[in-house]
Amino acid sequence: MNITIVGLGLIGGSLAKAISSRTSHIVFGIDRDPKVLDEALADGAIRHDIGLGALEKSNLVILALYPAQCIKFMEQNASRIRKGAVVTDVCGVKKSICDALTPMAKKFGFCFVGGHPMAGREQYGFEAAKQDLFDGASYVLTPSDGCDDGVERIRELALSIGCGRVVLTTPEDHDRRIAYTSQLPHVLAAAYVNSPTCPMHVGYSAGSYLDVSRVARINENLWPELFIQNRDALVVEIDFLIQNLTRMRQDVASKDQDALTAALRNSRLRKETYG
Amino acid sequence: MNITIVGLGLIGGSLAKAISSRTSHIVFGIDRDPKVLDEALADGAIRHDIGLGALEKSNLVILALYPAQCIKFMEQNASRIRKGAVVTDVCGVKKSICDALTPMAKKFGFCFVGGHPMAGREQYGFEAAKQDLFDGASYVLTPSDGCDDGVERIRELALSIGCGRVVLTTPEDHDRRIAYTSQLPHVLAAAYVNSPTCPMHVGYSAGSYLDVSRVARINENLWPELFIQNRDALVVEIDFLIQNLTRMRQDVASKDQDALTAALRNSRLRKETYG
């Protein structure tokens, strides 16, 4: 396949490196920063830099942009996509993207398959990209009707670059689950380190501090958009968390050891059962 | 030195393994479970099992028991401790232990130095003990007056078994900091996995879920006691966290992207500054 990757940041750059080093597909890159394109060419992450013309030559286009940019890029360039090609994105929210891009796909005769490779790092940009970023990761797809071939094409690609599994679901289901598994941990890590006590932790922190706070090193230009686009599901999850914290707080304050033991037994069993 | 370790669980067992494999001190073990003593003798973690008589022969006694057990053990056995010996504990709370054991030390003529080696695992018992558990860890000491020699003895021992640093402070200061760096992450990990959404996460979880939830696999027989003994400081920290979460929840619900960006920028800068 000819594959165009639009946006060579952490995710797009890692996809480019993984595809170019682990498959025989030919990767074209599009990025607004010419320096990034030069770097990507120099290290072999992309084969060609021919600008927007790459869209016409590709069987698969991967949009690795922030959600609003992604929609804007397609509003400007959907007409350049080859008929019958497959377009996918990598955004952490799916409903808003699929709602915007599925009608464009119908109009211009390509297939759109929403995608979310569940991998990341606390750094960003092409310089943080790694060809092994997706090793063992889940790659979630939210296909629209009539895109079975496109799904197969992306599934094979995902597995060939190291993903552990490809999961199919609806955009709504994806967004609801991701609110819990990805957005909420980022919210709570940020809330945790924003405590006034945080600067006093040095010398007193063990693994639990480090683990819980790791993703507090967050890209503040990306995540607010993801949170807001998925606000209904995320607010529900934050409310569950606040409820559980409030209950444990009351049990601590009232010295209710039995209630705390029951809550911690439940959390241990869940962790042992569900991983 | 002759060193007696009372309680060969995760922490006591790891201390025994580390001291016996990395120093020339002679380790005696005391445990209520004869099978654990046999195992510890067999793998060289302890040199001798002579029961409570070990207390009379030791220059250093390390109490590696849960807080209430620790106090109870000393109420029954403080008179057996050699005059001039140093006694320390490993409990995750310090004020309640120091308040109970410092007067006993004065009465029976030994030194008590509160201790907290900041290391752990999500498993427990002697079978989870590892000689490298303390590599790089902070070892916090809360000495009472007139125990300078005892502090030096424990400091040397801590560094010789791999600890990265020894930190001296008061019991009150320790408990306040630990509420944030250790107890709060355990509370929030437990609250997080106790969400009704948790069982649906499989296939949708990346590193952030795994990191934030790791310590939810918690020892429910130990931690409620630690939480309750440190309840004033812990409740303050839970309240800070709930406040921050509530503010972010409102910002998400009201689509206040600027406020979210500011909160996440702050959390990123803190993580980059303080680790």
Side-chain angles (χ1 to χ4, degrees), chain A residues 122-257:
Chain A
E122 309 94 270
Q123 287 109 48
Y124 48 95
F126 184 77
E127 65 277 18
K130 306 193 304 175
Q131 58 111 350
D132 62 355
L133 188 69
F134 307 102
D135 284 1
S138 283
Y139 203 121
V140 183
L141 296 178
T142 60
S144 41
D145 292 343
C147 283
D148 294 355
D149 284 357
V151 168
E152 280 317 302
R153 220 177 280 180
I154 301 169
R155 184 204 299 274
E156 278 170 34
L157 182 69
L159 297 175
S160 69
I161 62 169
C163 289
R165 76 196 71 82
V166 175
V167 178
L168 300 189
T169 188
T170 63
E172 293 76 7
D173 182 66
H174 167 275
D175 288 0
R176 200 162 44 98
R177 292 184 196 245
I178 230 63
Y180 177 73
T181 60
S182 170
Q183 297 190 328
L184 186 59
H186 285 83
V187 167
L188 72 84
Y192 176 56
V193 303
N194 283 347
S195 159
T197 318
C198 177
M200 298 169 23
H201 82 82
V202 181
Y204 293 82
S205 46
S208 58
Y209 169 83
L210 292 173
D211 282 355
V212 168
S213 68
R214 182 179 65 85
V215 294
R217 191 165 168 193
I218 192 170
N219 179 349
E220 75 259 21
N221 298 311
L222 168 61
W223 285 85
E225 192 181 334
L226 297 174
F227 292 164
I228 289 171
Q229 291 205 7
N230 199 23
R231 63 190 172 281
D232 293 345
L234 180 55
V235 162
V236 168
E237 292 302 334
I238 299 177
D239 285 344
F240 282 140
L241 181 66
I242 291 175
Q243 271 170 36
N244 285 343
L245 285 170
T246 303
R247 194 171 311 129
M248 289 181 78
R249 182 234 187 263
Q250 303 305 3
D251 294 338
V252 171
S254 64
K255 303 195 265 184
D256 190 338
Q257 188 154 349

Side-chain angles (χ1 to χ4, degrees), chain B residues 175-191:
Chain B
D175 287 0
R176 199 161 44 97
R177 292 184 196 246
I178 231 64
Y180 176 73
T181 60
S182 169
Q183 297 189 329
L184 186 59
H186 285 82
V187 167
L188 73 83

Side-chain angles (χ1 to χ4, degrees), chain A residues 195 197 211 214 237 270, chain B residues 195 197 204 211 214 237 270:
Chain A
S195 159
T197 318
D211 282 355
R214 182 179 65 85
E237 292 302 334
R270 283 188 163 211
Chain B
S195 159
T197 317
Y204 292 82
D211 282 355
R214 182 179 63 86
E237 292 301 335
R270 284 187 163 211

Side-chain angles (χ1 to χ4, degrees), chain B:
Chain B
M1 284 195 286
N2 284 350
I3 300 176
T4 293
I5 299 177
V6 184
L8 297 172
L10 171 65
I11 301 296
S14 295
L15 284 169
K17 289 184 180 190
I19 295 169
S20 291
S21 65
R22 299 184 178 190
T23 77
S24 55
H25 302 304
I26 293 165
V27 178
F28 296 75
I30 296 177
D31 198 280
R32 62 185 170 189
D33 184 346
K35 275 195 311 215
V36 165
L37 287 163
D38 288 347
E39 270 180 73
L41 278 169
D43 91 351
I46 65 173
R47 185 84 67 88
H48 303 289
D49 164 22
I50 57 167
L52 293 167
L55 296 173
E56 288 148 29
K57 293 190 185 303
S58 293
N59 322 82
L60 176 64
V61 175
I62 303 176
L63 305 165
L65 301 169
Y66 292 3
Q69 288 178 326
C70 200
I71 293 169
K72 196 170 159 202
F73 181 86
M74 287 302 281
E75 283 168 354
Q76 292 168 347
N77 297 292
S79 64
R80 297 176 189 259
I81 307 282
R82 193 160 150 165
K83 297 247 176 294
V86 178
V87 175
T88 188
D89 73 308
V90 300
C91 292
V93 289
K94 295 272 59 79
K95 181 158 177 11
S96 55
I97 300 290
C98 293
D99 283 353
L101 269 51
T102 303
M104 290 189 207
K106 289 223 170 73
K107 181 170 168 194
F108 292 102
F110 59 86
C111 273
F112 178 71
V113 179
H116 182 195
M118 297 210 49
R121 297 183 71 188
E122 308 95 271
Q123 288 109 49
Y124 48 95
F126 184 77
E127 64 277 17
K130 306 193 304 175
Q131 59 110 350
D132 62 354
L133 187 69
F134 308 102
D135 285 1
S138 283
Y139 202 121
V140 184
L141 297 177
T142 60
S144 41
D145 291 342
C147 282
D148 294 354
D149 284 358
V151 169
E152 280 318 302
R153 220 177 280 181
I154 301 169
R155 184 204 299 273
E156 278 170 33
L157 182 70
L159 297 175
S160 70
I161 61 169
C163 289
R165 75 196 73 80
V166 175
V167 178
L168 300 189
T169 189
T170 62
E172 293 78 6
D173 182 66
H174 167 276
D175 287 0
R176 199 161 44 97
R177 292 184 196 246
I178 231 64
Y180 176 73
T181 60
S182 169
Q183 297 189 329
L184 186 59
H186 285 82
V187 167
L188 73 83
Y192 176 57
V193 302
N194 283 347
S195 159
T197 317
C198 178
M200 298 168 22
H201 83 82
V202 182
Y204 292 82
S205 46
S208 58
Y209 169 84
L210 291 173
D211 282 355
V212 168
S213 67
R214 182 179 63 86
V215 293
R217 191 166 168 192
I218 192 170
N219 179 348
E220 75 259 20
N221 298 311
L222 168 61
W223 285 87
E225 191 181 334
L226 297 174
F227 293 164
I228 289 171
Q229 292 205 7
N230 198 23
R231 63 189 171 281
D232 292 344
L234 180 55
V235 162
V236 168
E237 292 301 335
I238 299 176
D239 286 344
F240 281 140
L241 181 66
I242 291 175
Q243 272 170 37
N244 286 344
L245 285 169
T246 303
R247 194 171 311 129
M248 290 181 77
R249 182 235 188 260
Q250 303 304 3
D251 294 338
V252 171
S254 65
K255 303 195 265 183
D256 190 338
Q257 187 153 349
D258 291 344
L260 289 168
T261 303
L264 298 187
R265 182 184 304 120
N266 192 47
S267 82
R268 176 179 60 77
L269 290 172
R270 284 187 163 211
K271 193 66 189 150
E272 287 172 3
T273 306
Y274 303 114

